Each structure stands twice: as structure tokens, then as C-alpha cells.
Amino acid sequence: MSCSTVKLTVMCSASGTNLQALIDAVAAGSIPNASIIKVVVNRKTAYAAKRAEQAGIPAEYFNLVNGRYHKAGEKDEAVLKTARAKYDADLAQRVLKDSPDMVVLAGWMHVFSEPFLKPLDAAGIPVINLHPALPGKYDGANAIQRAHEDFQAGRLENNKTGCMIHYVIAEVDRGEPILVEEVECREGETLEGLENRIHAVEHRIIVKATAQVATRLAATKTGRGRLEAKKRDN
Ligand SMILES: Nc1nc2c(c(=O)[nH]1)N[C@@H](CN(C=O)c1ccc(C(=O)N[C@@H](CCC(=O)O)C(=O)O)cc1)CN2
Ligand SMILES: NCC(=O)N[C@@H]1O[C@H](COP(=O)([O-])[O-])[C@@H](O)[C@H]1O
């Protein structure tokens, strides 16, 4: 019985080292029966798009401002909220068009509103995210920097930060954790030193968590395939 291939869409805003870890893991079979069918970037400067191109993976650039959802420098909160909702709704349709089995946010620096999350949820497509902090800590952007600052000020709980992969819900970085790894801060270590150590953890756990979710989805797909075949045979 052949296992169905799990189709991944990966979303990035930056250099794509986590995307590269996923590309390399799929190629090495560390994420079994999976393929990355699309990379979505929301920044023209995102080197992740280049990494996708080099791996022969289609990449799509789709940006809130360049896509004319609101003008650059817009300050009106109501206009920004409406624009974000419309962008998110359109982005959801773009993602759904590819029929992925799961979405991985690998350094995706845009907070999703419900117009993105609800259609994906309705389609039964899990969205998972890499967050370079421990559950409930340093939600949002610049998490490593904030943890480093707290450590230097003697405020970091247990002198530990870390990294997690979690399911994405509307509340930013508060979805159910899938994998968590602590990283102990070191006296005198620079922010760059801590970032490098955390990035190494990121590259490992994003592969492990994606493989874990993909394996569960593959079993579901295979089971569904068996059921449909059985119905056809009866
Ligand atoms: N609804 C959710 N959206 C996103 C989640 C989530 O858990 N729920 N995770 C984030 C990823 N992320 C941290 O892990 C994160 C990324 C970016 C931001 C943020 O403040 N973005 C700003 C824009 C920043 C910029 O463009 O430089 C924004 O969206 O206005 C917060 C958290 C992904 N989305
Ligand atoms: N809230 C999410 C977040 O802050 N993610 C951060 O973006 C980087 C993307 O790097 P990459 O583009 O090289 O994978 C990751 O290293 C991670 O620390």
C-alpha cells in the first residue's frame, strides 16, 4: 500500500534557513512521504524565495502594501484592519488553491487575522509556527533579543529561554505546543551567540515537528484512501 504524499506549503519572510532545513530534510527522507509544493514570501528581500527557486519549488511573493491593500505609511487603524482582513482572506485562497495538507510558518513575520485562519481550519489544514521562545514567553517579534535583554538584566526565569513549534491560533504564539526545547543563557554571551545557538535548535525542531504532524496526516490520508477504495469496491 503506497502512503499518500503529504503536501507542505511553507511561508517565510526572511533568509529561509529554516526553509532550507525543511528542504534538506524532505530530500533526505527525514520527513517521510512529504513534498514542499509551494513557498510563500511576503517580503521581496526574503532570500527564502531564492532557496525555493534553487530547490525547484514554486515561490510566490504576496505583500500587504505592495499588493495595494493599503498605502505605505497608512496610520488609520480602521483602514489597516480592513486591509489586513482582505489581504488575509485573499492569501488564504491563494494557499488553498494549492490544496496543501499542512502549512509551516518558517520565519513568517505577519500576524494572521481570522480571515486567513478560518478558511484553513474549515479545510482541515493545520498551520504550525516556529517561535524562538518558550510557551507563553516573548510572544511576537524579536523574542530572542528580548530574552537576551532580560537575561542580562537578571530577569530571565531560570536563566532559560528556548524555542518551540506550535499550532497557530488567533492569539499570537499561544497555540498548543508541538515540540519545545529549552536553551540556557550563558553569562557574557552576545545576542548573536545566543541567536546562533537558538537557530541551530530551530532547524532541528522545525524538521522534527513537521515530520511528526506530516506522519499523522499521512496516516489519515492513507486511511481515507483505503475507505474510499473500499467504498468503490463494494
Ligand atoms: N494569528 C497568528 N498569526 C501568527 C502567529 C500566531 O501564532 N498566530 N505566529 C506568528 C509568528 N510570529 C512569532 O512566532 C510573529 C511574527 C510577526 C509578528 C509581528 O508583530 N508582525 C507585525 C509585522 C512585523 C514586520 O512586518 O516586521 C504584524 O504582523 O503587524 C508577531 C509574531 C505568525 N503569525
Ligand atoms: N516569530 C517568528 C520569528 O521571530 N522567527 C524568527 O525568524 C527567523 C527566520 O529565520 P530564517 O528565515 O533564516 O528561517 C527565525 O530564526 C526565528 O528566530
Side-chain angles (χ1 to χ4, degrees), residues 103-157:
V103 173
V104 185
L105 307 185
W108 174 257
M109 304 304 284
H110 169 84
V111 175
F112 287 127
S113 57
E114 291 290 6
F116 179 87
L117 298 170
K118 280 195 182 305
L120 271 291
D121 186 48
I125 298 171
V127 181
I128 69 175
N129 175 60
L130 157 70
H131 183 52
L134 295 174
K137 304 288 184 188
Y138 305 107
D139 298 340
N142 306 314
I144 301 172
Q145 181 183 337
R146 288 180 282 149
H148 187 257
E149 285 167 359
D150 280 354
F151 173 68
Q152 287 186 313
R155 293 193 299 263
L156 186 64
E157 195 179 334

Side-chain angles (χ1 to χ4, degrees), residues 114-227:
E114 291 290 6
F116 179 87
L117 298 170
K118 280 195 182 305
L120 271 291
D121 186 48
I125 298 171
V127 181
I128 69 175
N129 175 60
L130 157 70
H131 183 52
L134 295 174
K137 304 288 184 188
Y138 305 107
D139 298 340
N142 306 314
I144 301 172
Q145 181 183 337
R146 288 180 282 149
H148 187 257
E149 285 167 359
D150 280 354
F151 173 68
Q152 287 186 313
R155 293 193 299 263
L156 186 64
E157 195 179 334
N158 300 321
N159 291 327
K160 287 179 181 174
T161 185
C163 182
M164 69 167 170
I165 309 294
H166 65 93
Y167 286 103
V168 169
I169 60 174
E171 194 180 1
V172 175
D173 299 331
R174 289 303 172 108
E176 178 195 349
I178 300 165
L179 280 182
V180 180
E181 187 158 325
E182 290 185 339
V183 175
E184 186 144 16
C185 288
R186 297 170 182 166
E187 204 57 52
E189 184 176 44
T190 63
L191 171 60
E192 187 183 5
L194 178 60
E195 283 175 337
N196 289 339
R197 287 196 298 127
I198 290 180
H199 290 341
V201 174
E202 290 171 359
H203 300 156
R204 195 159 28 81
I205 68 169
I206 197 167
V207 167
K208 197 173 173 185
T210 300
Q212 194 176 301
V213 175
T215 301
R216 176 175 60 77
L217 291 171
T220 310
K221 281 185 85 168
T222 306
R224 201 165 45 234
R226 277 203 197 113
L227 197 57

Side-chain angles (χ1 to χ4, degrees), residues 35-54:
S35 68
I36 300 172
I37 60 168
K38 175 66 74 65
V39 170
V40 177
V41 299
N42 66 341
R43 293 179 185 170
K44 264 202 187 310
T45 55
Y47 192 73
K50 185 73 179 169
R51 294 179 190 272
E53 182 190 327
Q54 288 167 345

